[in-house]
Amino acid sequence: MKMVSALLLLSTLLGAPAMPSRRPSCYKRALKGHNCHNIPEGTENLRQINEGLQDHFWEGKGCEVICYCSWNELLCCPKDIFFGPKISFVISCNSQ
């Protein structure tokens, strides 16, 4: 009887659809013919955070996603994942 219960539980767990994580994740984007020093103005929808954080950009209109440029690709993450919750609130947002 225990074996039947164990098999039933196992088959239920394996048959259950996987739930996607609600936590936003990081992703990479290729710069396609450009590098960190020649990202076309406005075409990538990126704004440099400030002069002190070289190769770090805000993505989009808000200040929720930060991208780090590494040679010819961008690593973009939500700011809390990228810097951590203790540091991300200190980074100023230039939403222009």
Side-chain angles (χ1 to χ4, degrees), residues 49-69:
I49 291 178
N50 66 34
E51 297 296 322
L53 288 173
Q54 186 178 5
D55 298 331
H56 288 79
F57 303 90
W58 293 114
E59 180 184 48
K61 294 180 182 178
C63 297
E64 294 301 314
V65 177
I66 294 176
C67 295
Y68 173 72
C69 189

Side-chain angles (χ1 to χ4, degrees), residues 29-45:
R29 258 195 325 177
L31 289 176
K32 298 178 185 169
H34 298 283
N35 62 37
C36 297
H37 304 292
N38 69 357
I39 296 174
E41 286 283 329
T43 55
E44 290 293 330
N45 204 18

